[in-house]
Amino acid sequence: MTSRRPDYEEEADRGGGALRKRATINDIARLAGVSKKTISRVINDSPFVKVETRDKIHAIMKELGYRPDPQARGLAFRRSFLIGMIYDNPNPQYVVNVQQGILEAVRESGFELVVHPCNRADAGFLDQVRTFVEQLKLFGVVLTPSVSEDDDLVAILRELDCPYVRVASVSLDEAERMIVTHDADGAAEAARHLAALGHTRVAFISGPPSFRSSHERRRGLAEGLAEQGITLEDRYIIEGAYTFDSGVACARALLAMDEPPTAIFTGNDEMAAGVYTAARDAGVSIPDDLSVVGFDDSPMAARLWPPLTSVKLPIRNMGRFAAEKLIDMATPESERRTRSHQVEPGLAVRGSTASPR
Amino acid sequence: MTSRRPDYEEEADRGGGALRKRATINDIARLAGVSKKTISRVINDSPFVKVETRDKIHAIMKELGYRPDPQARGLAFRRSFLIGMIYDNPNPQYVVNVQQGILEAVRESGFELVVHPCNRADAGFLDQVRTFVEQLKLFGVVLTPSVSEDDDLVAILRELDCPYVRVASVSLDEAERMIVTHDADGAAEAARHLAALGHTRVAFISGPPSFRSSHERRRGLAEGLAEQGITLEDRYIIEGAYTFDSGVACARALLAMDEPPTAIFTGNDEMAAGVYTAARDAGVSIPDDLSVVGFDDSPMAARLWPPLTSVKLPIRNMGRFAAEKLIDMATPESERRTRSHQVEPGLAVRGSTASPR
DNA sequence: CACGGCACGGAAACCGGTGTCATTTGACGG
DNA sequence: CCGTCAAATGACACCGGTTTCCGTGCCGTG
């Protein structure tokens, strides 16, 4: 039973001094000459309040700078006004982008964002997430890969009656609860690009197999190449971890092969950066000796030299859209602004790809 | 009065189904055969409870998986169990690093982290932050540059009786509330490094003047150079914005000078990456024609080519230390593990610096 | 035997809102 | 003028804890 203890003092003068106490619902009720309940109705936009009454109450609220206490409301509602972001992605760049998007949507909504990293490999993973959601009585959560693919986790969220939106490379749930990134399509586009340049020995450095995206991106690549009559050979498929270091290691292995690939497609830009480093160490020139294509089109892609060709994913928008969907679940359909939440990958062609020698 | 409205339904069946209701303090009291008050005492680690009673109650709590409701406790305490991170840094890499550090400390403490970006240039900036802190009744906040340097903001936090820790380049408050990064020392070390290599025409691309660190880093650079009898000339000082694009623009301007600098020190690594791009466009080779030193030693520094020499700041630890200090404020001094929270900058020397021709 | 500190108990109020259900108000038809 | 019915509002318990303000055994001490 861990618990925050307020430096125990059973009955003591809690200092505090002359804090101008904030107005409460009772104050407003008294001043307006109505009951608490009516104030509550106004707070919650009940249609059963006379317009004049409502306006008058609004005026009083404004004058006193009154804002209902989220904690008290939450206690009664059995629900807080916090949105959670649950993630286990080893790539900080990805995380911060999604987060920015969520914050954009959250900022104008009155909710706040609680971030919660986790590790699916931990023994108590599910319990830990359950505790997080249950204790905070989260209003909803955004799940990013790979936790977004965890059906056990989703089952818990359903049990807890906690709304969620999953960001994933393929659809795993009702459309209402999904932001689908169609990774395979993006990878296929990269494949077509490489094939058009004349590459036939194409390698793939995947992310960890626990990420659905790893498989989707490989599948897309393989299918895109197959369209052009090219085979993605098993010997050219190697498993990374979505980290820079793993990219270096995998690229090293590929470049050391008797018949090394002429192009490497990586599961994300972090690993592509690793390929750059390994190539330099091996005296292999990009793009002359080796073409490289990344995935995500993170800010880093344009900063590398040569600038990295990369499958473009609107990661930030994905976060924004996910949060908007969540917030929409709380908005009456009538007031919901219809907005499109389609995510389509593209390909940003830069200097890291060229025809093989 | 913006407010989350639960799709109004005054009296409706809120679905929910057969949710196994969680145990409350009353259940525990009944089962333990004691009063609520005693349970409350146990929750808050009151010393006025017999050991056996406490153990027995703990056992019952454990069996029922009881966890006191933070919302209810918060309502009574007039305080939540959330820690806020307030930032306005334009560099996402910096933000995500601090955040990771905070999360490390927070994870094992029972608190949760709410992130709150903001913009000091906004008209309602102070009110907005006040609302954030007041509404959430934050347990405490971590302030990062440049909002950490805003005394008006701090005044509000004091008024709201909200504990805070400021991360800044110089001490601005009592030691208990500061994580000081001594940016000037780091910059001075970079200056000595460049001087030792024989550079005399050294330029500085600063961050925005609203960041104290911009001035500190310049000061440190100037002083370090002065030690070696070198002057940091005004014409070589140029103002960036801590962003990649600003780095490109500033470097372009510097390289176009009649007598361009032989070395550029940038306020952060993002801008250093911009210098790389501008140098390439101008046909200037790093480090042969131009030495570059960054600040932060972000992961990107090692990925650039040539790898970037950079002043090393333990950004992640800064976040961790800040959060630990905050949490310490809630821990009785007796139980506080004494830990050192010193931050010392260093210099990671890599391939982007060499003697001028 | 009086006294004081420890370890609790009990009832009620409180924190600041919401849900339930009853009651009042006003407009309208007869 | 009265009955009716929907609209508008109120009284009261409740959400899950904490605090207040007493009490009461129990035990050790002088």
Side-chain angles (χ1 to χ4, degrees):
Chain A
M1 302 299 108
T2 325
S3 70
R4 310 290 87 251
R5 72 215 65 155
D7 204 344
Y8 205 84
E9 32 185 305
E10 178 135 9
E11 36 226 81
D13 166 37
R14 263 175 211 278
L19 285 185
R20 187 196 68 212
K21 280 254 302 182
R22 296 236 63 164
T24 75
I25 199 173
N26 294 301
D27 303 330
I28 307 293
R30 190 159 11 84
L31 283 165
V34 301
S35 73
K36 278 170 75 168
K37 182 62 205 183
T38 298
I39 308 297
S40 172
R41 289 197 174 93
V42 171
I43 293 175
N44 292 288
D45 282 336
S46 162
F48 307 126
V49 181
K50 232 193 306 181
V51 186
E52 329 154 26
T53 314
R54 178 160 54 69
D55 290 347
K56 180 174 150 200
I57 292 178
H58 272 154
I60 298 181
M61 285 176 167
K62 187 157 197 173
E63 194 188 348
L64 271 72
Y66 169 78
R67 302 196 150 276
D69 182 330
Q71 221 149 28
R73 292 223 300 158
L75 184 59
F77 274 144
R78 288 177 196 72
R79 180 134 299 187
S80 76
F81 299 94
L82 301 170
I83 286 181
M85 161 174 166
I86 302 180
Y87 65 95
D88 69 334
N89 201 302
N91 181 1
Q93 190 66 53
Y94 182 94
V95 172
V96 73
N97 276 330
V98 174
Q99 185 174 315
Q100 272 186 22
I102 297 179
L103 284 167
E104 283 173 15
V106 152
R107 192 165 324 168
E108 49 209 40
S109 74
F111 291 100
E112 296 289 344
L113 178 65
V114 186
V115 294
H116 191 87
C118 61
N119 186 350
R120 272 220 278 175
D122 280 353
F125 161 68
L126 285 175
D127 278 343
Q128 190 209 316
V129 176
R130 170 196 285 274
T131 302
F132 170 64
V133 173
E134 199 168 19
Q135 288 284 98
L136 265 59
K137 304 211 199 80
L138 290 181
F139 182 91
V141 297
V142 174
L143 302 173
T144 69
S146 71
V147 282
S148 63
E149 299 151 8
D150 192 314
D151 288 327
D152 294 337
L153 173 56
V154 167
I156 288 182
L157 294 175
R158 297 199 115 107
E159 182 195 329
L160 295 178
D161 205 26
C162 174
Y164 61 88
V165 172
R166 305 161 81 167
V167 176
S169 45
V170 293
S171 184
L172 303 164
D173 217 314
E174 321 146 40
E176 274 306 295
R177 308 183 171 283
M178 289 295 312
I179 299 290
V180 183
T181 54
H182 305 290
D183 288 18
D185 294 349
E189 199 167 336
R192 283 188 290 273
H193 171 63
L194 289 173
L197 288 171
H199 290 276
T200 54
R201 300 208 306 274
V202 177
F204 176 60
I205 302 182
S206 86
S210 58
F211 279 64
R212 179 83 182 230
S213 57
S214 300
H215 305 100
E216 287 302 312
R217 292 171 193 187
R218 180 179 48 65
R219 183 170 69 79
L221 178 68
E223 289 177 7
L225 289 174
E227 274 175 29
Q228 317 294 321
I230 302 167
T231 308
L232 174 60
E233 299 177 47
D234 279 345
R235 58 174 178 155
Y236 288 144
I237 299 178
I238 185 167
E239 182 184 318
Y242 275 158
T243 63
F244 176 81
D245 290 338
S246 71
V248 175
C250 292
R252 243 193 266 282
L254 288 170
L255 295 175
M257 291 174 75
D258 289 340
E259 199 178 29
T262 60
I264 298 182
F265 177 58
T266 62
N268 71 357
D269 287 352
E270 275 299 289
M271 296 196 294
V275 173
Y276 274 53
T277 296
R280 243 166 228 131
D281 294 349
V284 170
S285 155
I286 299 172
D288 300 332
D289 304 325
L290 180 71
S291 286
V292 182
V293 180
F295 204 108
D296 283 352
D297 193 29
S298 68
M300 184 184 57
R303 292 167 179 48
L304 289 171
W305 190 259
L308 176 69
T309 296
S310 184
V311 177
K312 192 174 193 153
L313 227 47
I315 301 183
R316 185 149 143 192
N317 274 343
M318 284 151 46
R320 174 187 252 280
F321 293 169
E324 284 176 350
K325 280 205 170 186
L326 214 46
I327 292 166
D328 276 354
M329 295 183 192
T331 313
E333 300 217 25
S334 52
E335 293 178 35
R336 213 173 281 175
R337 351 173 218 164
T338 49
R339 37 193 174 192
S340 162
H341 284 160
Q342 290 302 321
V343 173
E344 290 296 335
L347 184 67
V349 178
R350 300 205 182 82
S352 66
T353 43
S355 292
R357 290 215 165 137
Chain B
M1 301 303 106
T2 324
S3 70
R4 308 291 88 250
R5 73 214 64 153
D7 203 345
Y8 205 90
E9 30 185 306
E10 178 135 10
E11 36 227 82
D13 166 37
R14 263 177 211 278
L19 285 187
R20 186 196 67 211
K21 279 252 302 181
R22 295 234 64 162
T24 76
I25 199 174
N26 294 302
D27 304 329
I28 306 292
R30 190 161 12 84
L31 282 165
V34 300
S35 74
K36 271 172 83 168
K37 176 65 198 178
T38 298
I39 307 297
S40 175
R41 289 193 176 101
V42 170
I43 292 175
N44 292 289
D45 282 336
S46 162
F48 307 125
V49 181
K50 231 192 307 181
V51 186
E52 328 154 25
T53 314
R54 179 162 51 71
D55 290 348
K56 179 176 155 199
I57 293 178
H58 272 154
I60 297 180
M61 285 176 168
K62 185 156 199 174
E63 193 187 349
L64 271 73
Y66 169 78
R67 301 196 151 276
D69 182 332
Q71 222 148 27
R73 289 218 309 152
L75 185 58
F77 274 145
R78 287 176 198 74
R79 179 133 299 187
S80 76
F81 300 95
L82 301 170
I83 286 180
M85 162 174 164
I86 303 179
Y87 64 94
D88 69 334
N89 201 304
N91 180 0
Q93 190 65 53
Y94 182 95
V95 172
V96 73
N97 276 331
V98 174
Q99 183 174 316
Q100 272 186 21
I102 297 179
L103 284 167
E104 282 173 16
V106 152
R107 191 166 325 170
E108 49 209 40
S109 73
F111 290 100
E112 296 290 344
L113 178 66
V114 186
V115 293
H116 191 86
C118 60
N119 186 350
R120 272 218 279 174
D122 280 353
F125 161 68
L126 286 175
D127 277 343
Q128 191 210 315
V129 175
R130 171 198 284 275
T131 302
F132 170 64
V133 173
E134 199 169 18
Q135 288 284 98
L136 265 59
K137 304 210 201 81
L138 290 181
F139 183 90
V141 297
V142 174
L143 302 173
T144 68
S146 71
V147 281
S148 62
E149 298 151 9
D150 193 315
D151 288 327
D152 294 337
L153 173 56
V154 167
I156 288 183
L157 294 175
R158 296 198 117 107
E159 182 195 330
L160 294 178
D161 205 25
C162 174
Y164 61 88
V165 173
R166 304 161 81 169
V167 176
S169 46
V170 293
S171 184
L172 302 166
D173 217 315
E174 321 146 41
E176 275 305 295
R177 308 183 171 282
M178 288 296 312
I179 299 290
V180 182
T181 54
H182 304 289
D183 289 17
D185 294 349
E189 199 167 337
R192 283 189 290 271
H193 171 63
L194 290 172
L197 288 171
H199 291 276
T200 54
R201 302 209 305 273
V202 177
F204 176 60
I205 302 182
S206 86
S210 58
F211 279 65
R212 179 82 182 231
S213 57
S214 300
H215 305 100
E216 287 302 310
R217 292 171 193 186
R218 181 179 46 66
R219 183 171 67 80
L221 177 68
E223 289 178 6
L225 290 174
E227 273 176 30
Q228 316 294 319
I230 303 165
T231 308
L232 174 60
E233 299 176 46
D234 279 347
R235 58 174 178 155
Y236 288 145
I237 299 178
I238 184 167
E239 183 184 317
Y242 276 158
T243 63
F244 175 81
D245 290 339
S246 71
V248 175
C250 292
R252 244 193 266 282
L254 288 171
L255 295 175
M257 291 174 74
D258 289 339
E259 199 180 29
T262 60
I264 298 182
F265 177 58
T266 62
N268 71 358
D269 287 351
E270 275 301 288
M271 295 196 295
V275 173
Y276 274 54
T277 296
R280 240 165 230 134
D281 294 348
V284 170
S285 155
I286 298 173
D288 299 332
D289 305 324
L290 179 71
S291 286
V292 181
V293 180
F295 204 109
D296 283 352
D297 193 30
S298 69
M300 184 185 57
R303 291 166 178 52
L304 289 171
W305 189 259
L308 177 67
T309 296
S310 184
V311 176
K312 192 174 193 154
L313 227 45
I315 301 183
R316 184 149 146 194
N317 274 343
M318 284 151 45
R320 174 187 253 279
F321 292 167
E324 284 176 351
K325 280 204 171 189
L326 213 46
I327 292 166
D328 276 354
M329 294 183 192
T331 313
E333 299 217 24
S334 52
E335 293 178 34
R336 214 172 281 175
R337 346 174 221 166
T338 50
R339 35 194 175 192
S340 163
H341 285 159
Q342 291 302 320
V343 172
E344 290 297 335
L347 183 68
V349 177
R350 301 204 181 83
S352 67
T353 43
S355 292
R357 288 210 169 143

